[in-house]
Amino acid sequence: MQQIHPLKHLSLAVSILLGILQTNLNADTQNPMTTASTDNLNIIRDIQYSEIAGVKGYGDLFIPKDVEKPKTVLLIHGGAWKSMTRQRVQQVAAFIAEQGYAVFNISYRLLPEAPYPACEEDCMAAANFLLEAGHPAMEALDHSQIVVGGLSAGGHLALVTGLKLPDDKIAGIIDISGPTELNAPEVEGLMNFSGFAKGDPNKEAIFHAASPTVIAAAKEKLPPLLVLHCQQDGVVDIQQAYRIIDIWNQSGANLQAFLYEGRRERGHNIWRNGQAEPDLHYKLENQIIAFLDSFFSE
């Protein structure tokens, strides 16, 4: 059932715009696995989920304390498929984990060094690693099903990954400002900027095959979906949200959509003010937890 909650006069700040990225957001480390602890979380950093992905095939596992068999979320960062790492969204991972859900926050191979579908393959490898409890700490999680979520390009990858997992393994998908139909006219500038399939004579066919709308339309059963998207998104046009919402509406599958007001010059309109490693806006956080609770509640 579609639930659209308009939000007016939302005051949000953009920490970065595509193409204005800090160097430290693009740098993965090859540090050995480490552990840390906060009042509420145990954190295991630099877990290798893929040898093929090299330095990008690592993730950080956030585990809530005092929660027995927590449900699990795979989190995928954005960056136009060509920049940033998981460190950019570690505050998002920590927030979700603090609400009682384990989170595996991953990096993945980027354009142009690793042409598509390398990033998709990495996200699928990470999802299967989590489902198979590839690290001993994951044995204590409820990894029978997972939620896959992502932001911007990560929203696209979350949709593709969730749609390609077996139906009984995917509990839900969280799409935050993700491109959903890659050959649509409203994202032509984004696709050119990203270099996605650049120079490939089969570019349009690659765009088509990599579009979540196309993948979803071919499926008999769709998982629950949460779409979070600003109506004035200056990076990924709101039409992309409408396109994926239409597919879910046509199927009658579980859909929750939060489409809200913002300002086009503020990019995706998803971050709070003044954070070097930004948190999502509170109202988006509330939507995510309500979505998870809606089908993960006892």
Side-chain angles (χ1 to χ4, degrees):
M1 177 178 179
Q2 181 182 0
Q3 301 174 357
I4 299 181
H5 310 277
L7 176 62
K8 293 186 177 181
H9 308 300
L10 183 61
S11 177
L12 297 170
V14 171
S15 296
I16 65 165
L17 292 175
L18 290 176
I20 309 176
L21 302 172
Q22 298 176 4
T23 302
N24 64 337
L25 298 181
N26 294 319
D28 273 302
T29 65
Q30 290 178 295
N31 295 332
M33 189 169 57
T34 60
T35 61
S37 180
T38 70
D39 290 344
N40 301 314
L41 304 175
N42 290 318
I43 305 168
I44 306 172
R45 299 193 185 278
D46 299 308
I47 296 173
Q48 186 178 39
Y49 71 82
S50 170
E51 291 185 2
I52 293 174
V55 69
K56 298 293 185 180
Y58 286 79
D60 302 327
L61 182 63
F62 294 70
I63 306 174
K65 293 181 178 178
D66 303 321
V67 178
E68 185 175 356
K69 283 282 184 181
K71 309 292 186 179
T72 56
V73 178
L74 177 68
L75 182 63
I76 306 171
H77 71 81
W81 302 279
K82 71 175 187 176
S83 53
M84 289 196 249
T85 71
R86 65 190 184 275
Q87 285 76 21
R88 186 65 170 84
V89 294
Q90 62 182 343
Q91 295 296 94
V92 180
F95 165 76
I96 295 173
E98 286 169 352
Q99 313 311 307
Y101 299 96
V103 181
F104 190 40
N105 179 31
I106 64 164
S107 295
Y108 53 87
R109 286 175 289 174
L110 302 173
L111 304 174
E113 290 81 6
Y116 193 85
C119 54
E120 176 189 320
E121 292 168 352
D122 293 347
C123 293
M124 289 296 297
N128 287 315
F129 184 89
L130 188 53
L131 286 162
E132 295 165 5
H135 184 275
M138 294 174 179
E139 292 285 357
L141 314 179
D142 182 348
H143 52 84
S144 58
Q145 287 187 316
I146 63 172
V147 170
V148 184
L151 304 85
S152 192
H156 163 263
L157 291 169
L159 283 162
V160 172
T161 302
L163 288 167
K164 290 191 174 183
L165 287 174
D167 291 344
D168 63 341
K169 296 300 182 183
I170 181 69
I173 302 172
I174 300 171
D175 164 29
I176 306 174
S177 308
T180 65
E181 193 161 307
L182 305 188
N183 50 9
E186 68 267 14
V187 289
E188 182 179 0
L190 171 63
M191 302 313 294
N192 288 337
F193 169 78
S194 72
F196 198 110
K198 182 179 180 180
D200 194 309
N202 299 313
K203 181 171 73 172
E204 291 304 317
I206 294 171
F207 284 178
H208 180 81
S211 293
T213 53
V214 173
I215 301 168
K219 288 180 65 72
E220 292 184 5
K221 180 181 178 182
L222 296 176
L225 171 65
L226 172 64
V227 176
L228 303 175
H229 210 121
C230 176
Q231 298 194 55
Q232 290 78 31
D233 192 315
V235 180
V236 179
D237 192 277
I238 188 62
Q239 291 298 325
Q240 292 284 289
Y242 295 153
R243 291 177 187 277
I244 201 69
I245 285 170
D246 284 346
I247 299 295
W248 253 255
N249 279 338
Q250 291 169 23
S251 75
N254 183 335
L255 168 68
Q256 297 178 41
F258 182 61
L259 311 179
Y260 55 95
E261 296 290 331
R263 292 167 59 179
R264 183 164 293 274
E265 68 270 19
R266 292 183 172 179
H268 288 307
N269 288 262
I270 60 178
W271 304 114
R272 291 184 217 163
N273 291 329
Q275 298 293 326
E277 295 172 345
D279 300 281
L280 287 175
H281 192 275
Y282 295 107
K283 294 185 177 181
L284 302 188
E285 290 181 338
N286 292 340
Q287 292 292 323
I288 291 170
I289 298 308
F291 176 71
L292 293 173
D293 289 348
S294 70
F295 53 87
F296 270 166
S297 58
E298 296 296 330

